[in-house]
Each structure stands twice: as structure tokens, then as C-alpha cells.
């Protein structure tokens, strides 16, 4: 088997994404952190297929998608790997967690993974546990099934650590339904037993762009701090009790909800900021946390303007 740290990037297989090349912007940041990166094309994408059929529909291999990934990586002699998935491919992480034993000595899957805009069919994922709807009890069964799905999801998430990035206003109904379901499942006190870190992002953090004007290939353009947060999170593997890297969405900074930490911050999540960071207690009016920019603008702006006018007057007088 190959040594070293591995990350496998799985893309969605719906327009505008056509292959795993969509993750190409993330390869270099991961490689610089010491990871070997695998871009894996699932059947029907990037010229990959089943039995020489490169246009195989998703439904033909949906149930065995995680086995396809496992066999492909074992063929590459990858011993252990993290997964970063987008869209429907996010289901593969949960299927691995559901069907394999994951711990510190797992023979294949690491604990730390990332996903972006997950699209997960929980009825299909937990069909073997919940079963089919009995005749004449559709409404009652569906409500009971959703409660069981929430419990099963919390159980599946226990052995893994996931950093999730959800769109603020998803256009896809399936993606929106997935986000709402995960939010309900995470609202239970039982969810505290798992490590799931979710951040809502916008198109200013990640968006799709054409790779070239003459190529019908789209890639994901990602903010540098977003790529750094993903790499830092995967680097926390097997490091014990370490703080999860903090990612500050561009929209939250733009709206004045939080300030962006300085580069020298030791551990922002635990309130340990560099003395020059705007979130340091001495710079934040003694709050010691992330203070809304609007507060400073509202209180200090008149004083700053007055100071500027005084300096201009002194210059004009002499």
C-alpha cells in the first residue's frame, strides 16, 4: 500500500459539473499541506463508466457507489483517505460510516471529511432499517420514518468528523430539504455526541466558473480562506483535543456580523487572539470576541471624522 496522507475529491454528476476536474483549485492547497490528492470520476462523469458505457444513469449504480469508490482506491493502493464530496456524492461518506467500522485504527477511511451542498436521500440511505410504507398509513408512517431517520443520522455521524458548507439560499429543492433535515437532527441533545461543524456560505466563497471560453468544463472557484479551512480541518486528524479551524464567510464579514481575525491568532475559537487582531479584547472594547463592525462604525465614526478634520486644519494653518 502507499504511505502518506490521502484526500479523495468526489464531485457531483449534474450540470454544470461534468467530472472531478471541478475540484482542481483545491488540489494545490491540499498538496502543499502534505496530502496526496485523488480526483475520482464516478460512472457517467469524466469518461468513466460501467462495462464501457460512459453514459450510465446514476440510478444504475447508486446503491453501490461507496463500493465503487472503495474498489477504485484500493486499486490505487490507497490505505486510508479523507473524503471531500459535493452534492449527491456526499451520500458516500454516510454510506461508509453506516456500512464500515470507522475508528482510529480503520483500515480504509479516516474520520475527518468535508462536504459542500449535500444532497442526501435519507429514505434510501436508511431503507434497510425503516422499510417501506404500509398501506393506508402514508402520513403517520412518513412522520415516524423522519424521526427514525434523524436518530439514525445522529448514530451514523458519531464515528466521523464532518465540516459541512451549506449554501445560504440553495436553489435545488433536494439540497434545501437535506439542509433542513440535518438542522432538525442536529437540534436534539443527542447530537452533541457527534462532531459536525456546519457553515453557511454564499457565492462569494465558492462559485462555478468556466475553465476556458472554448471548453464546456466548469470548475469551482473557492476563496483562499475556505480552502485553508478545509486543509486545516483535515490536518487535525489524530491530534487529540484540538480546536476546529474557524472559517469566516465573506457575507458575514461584509454584513458586519463578525470581523476577520488576523494571521497571528493562536486559537480564535477559544478566544485566544493575537494582540494586533481586531477581535482581541484590547481592540474590541473589552468584549474579547467577534464584535460587529457596525457597532464600531456607529460609535467611533464621528470621533474618527473629527480627528481627521483637526489634522486637516493644523496642516492648513501651518
Amino acid at each position: 500500500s502507499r504511505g502518506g496522507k490521502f484526500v479523495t475529491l468526489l464531485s457531483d454528476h449534474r450540470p454544470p459539473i461534468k467530472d472531478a476536474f471541478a475540484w482542481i483549485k483545491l488540489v494545490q492547497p491540499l498538496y502543499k499541506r502534505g496530502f496526496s490528492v485523488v480526483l475520482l470520476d464516478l460512472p457517467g462523469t469524466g469518461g468513466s463508466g460501467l462495462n464501457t458505457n460512459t453514459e450510465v444513469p446514476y440510478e444504475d449504480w447508486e446503491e453501490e457507489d461507496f463500493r465503487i469508490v472503495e474498489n477504485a482506491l484500493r486499486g490505487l493502493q490507497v490505505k486510508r483517505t479523507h473524503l471531500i464530496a459535493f452534492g449527491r456524492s456526499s451520500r458516500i461518506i454516510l454510506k461508509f460510516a453506516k456500512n464500515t467500522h470507522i475508528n482510529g485504527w480503520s483500515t480504509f477511511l479516516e474520520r475527518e471529511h468535508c462536504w459542500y451542498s449535500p444532497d442526501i436521500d435519507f429514505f434510501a440511505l436508511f431503507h434497510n432499517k425503516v422499510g417501506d410504507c404500509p398501506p393506508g398509513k402514508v402520513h403517520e408512517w412518513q412522520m415516524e420514518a423522519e424521526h427514525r431517520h434523524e436518530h439514525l443520522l445522529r448514530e451514523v455521524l458519531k464515528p466521523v468528523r464532518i465540516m459541512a458548507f451549506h449554501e445560504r439560499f440553495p436553489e435545488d429543492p433536494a439540497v434545501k430539504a437535506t439542509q433542513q433535515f440535518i438542522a432538525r437532527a442536529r437540534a436534539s441533545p443527542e447530537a452533541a455526541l457527534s462532531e459536525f461543524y456546519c457553515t453557511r456560505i454564499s457565492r462569494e466563497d465558492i462559485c462555478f466558473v468556466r475553465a476556458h471560453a472554448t471548453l464546456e468544463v466548469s470548475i469551482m472557484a473557492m476563496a483562499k480562506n475556505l480552502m485553508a479551512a478545509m486543509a486545516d480541518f483535515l490536518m487535525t486528524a489524530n491530534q487529540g483535543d484540538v480546536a476546529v479551524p474557524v472559517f469566516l464567510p465573506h457575507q458575514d464579514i461584509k454584513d458586519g456580523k463578525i470581523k476577520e481575525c488576523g494571521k497571528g491568532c493562536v486559537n480564535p475559537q477559544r478566544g485566544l487572539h493575537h494582540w494586533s487582531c481586531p477581535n482581541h479584547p484590547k481592540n474590541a472594547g473589552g468584549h474579547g470576541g467577534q464584535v460587529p463592525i457596525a457597532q464600531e462604525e456607529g460609535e467611533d465614526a464621528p470621533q474618527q471624522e473629527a480627528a481627521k478634520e483637526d489634522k486637516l486644519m493644523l496642516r492648513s494653518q501651518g
Side-chain angles (χ1 to χ4, degrees):
S1 62
R2 303 182 184 219
K5 300 178 294 183
F6 284 87
V7 180
T8 301
L9 307 182
L10 305 173
S11 69
D12 204 350
H13 38 82
R14 294 174 293 183
I17 301 302
K18 293 189 175 182
D19 51 35
F21 186 77
W23 286 112
I24 194 64
K25 290 288 186 179
L26 187 58
V27 172
Q28 187 177 24
L30 292 173
Y31 179 75
K32 286 184 175 180
R33 300 302 297 272
F35 290 101
S36 296
V37 184
V38 179
L39 296 171
L40 188 61
D41 284 324
L42 296 171
T45 62
S48 178
L50 294 176
N51 299 325
T52 69
N53 180 13
T54 59
E55 297 183 359
V56 57
Y58 173 72
E59 292 74 17
D60 288 359
W61 52 273
E62 176 182 6
E63 293 185 4
E64 298 297 325
D65 50 3
F66 75 103
R67 297 297 184 193
I68 294 174
V69 172
E70 181 178 11
N71 292 336
L73 294 177
R74 291 195 184 280
L76 295 173
Q77 299 182 351
V78 175
K79 184 178 180 180
R80 296 181 61 125
T81 184
H82 302 277
L83 295 178
I84 298 180
F86 164 48
R88 287 183 178 178
S89 299
S90 303
R91 310 177 184 188
I92 295 176
I93 297 176
L94 296 182
K95 287 184 179 181
F96 271 119
K98 173 174 171 284
N99 295 287
T100 61
H101 181 61
I102 301 175
N103 53 34
W105 301 272
S106 173
T107 57
F108 179 69
L109 206 64
E110 297 281 4
R111 291 189 62 211
E112 292 75 20
H113 312 282
C114 301
W115 67 31
Y116 165 59
S117 291
D119 174 3
I120 302 172
D121 183 354
F122 293 100
F123 282 91
L125 181 66
F126 299 121
H127 181 265
N128 62 332
K129 297 285 187 180
V130 180
D132 296 317
C133 175
K137 296 184 178 181
V138 177
H139 181 69
E140 295 83 354
W141 177 85
Q142 188 168 6
M143 293 183 61
E144 178 64 24
E146 289 182 355
H147 287 301
R148 293 193 61 187
H149 291 163
E150 292 174 9
H151 171 73
L152 291 170
L153 176 61
R154 292 189 290 264
E155 291 296 316
V156 167
L157 289 175
K158 286 182 181 179
V160 296
R161 304 174 67 226
I162 292 181
M163 175 176 276
F165 299 95
H166 291 179
E167 294 180 353
R168 289 178 180 271
F169 305 104
E171 298 178 358
D172 191 325
V175 173
K176 183 177 181 179
T178 299
Q179 294 183 12
Q180 293 173 345
F181 180 86
I182 292 175
R184 292 197 303 270
R186 297 292 303 162
S188 169
E190 185 184 354
L193 298 176
S194 61
E195 295 186 61
F196 183 90
Y197 310 97
C198 180
T199 302
R200 294 191 178 275
I201 61 177
S202 64
R203 292 185 177 180
E204 294 175 312
D205 300 303
I206 181 171
C207 64
F208 300 104
V209 296
R210 289 281 291 272
H212 192 274
T214 60
L215 297 176
E216 294 185 1
V217 177
S218 295
I219 62 176
M220 287 186 279
M222 308 172 68
K224 290 184 178 180
N225 59 336
L226 174 58
M227 295 187 289
M230 286 185 175
D232 290 342
F233 176 68
L234 300 182
M235 289 292 293
T236 62
N238 304 319
Q239 291 188 10
D241 185 20
V242 292
V244 176
V246 177
F247 168 69
L248 304 180
H250 181 81
Q251 189 64 41
D252 287 349
I253 299 174
K254 184 178 179 181
D255 292 343
K257 294 181 180 179
I258 54 178
K259 293 180 179 179
E260 188 170 6
C261 284
K263 294 183 179 180
C265 288
V266 181
N267 196 331
Q269 191 177 19
R270 296 183 179 178
L272 302 178
H273 299 278
H274 190 264
W275 65 271
S276 62
C277 175
N279 292 316
H280 191 278
K282 76 176 185 64
N283 300 324
H287 293 281
Q290 295 170 336
V291 182
I293 295 176
Q295 179 181 345
E296 286 194 352
E297 289 179 348
E299 296 178 358
D300 299 342
Q303 298 178 7
Q304 293 174 358
E305 291 298 328
K308 289 180 181 179
E309 291 179 2
D310 292 342
K311 289 181 180 178
L312 290 174
M313 291 178 64
L314 290 173
R315 288 181 181 178
S316 63
Q317 291 174 1

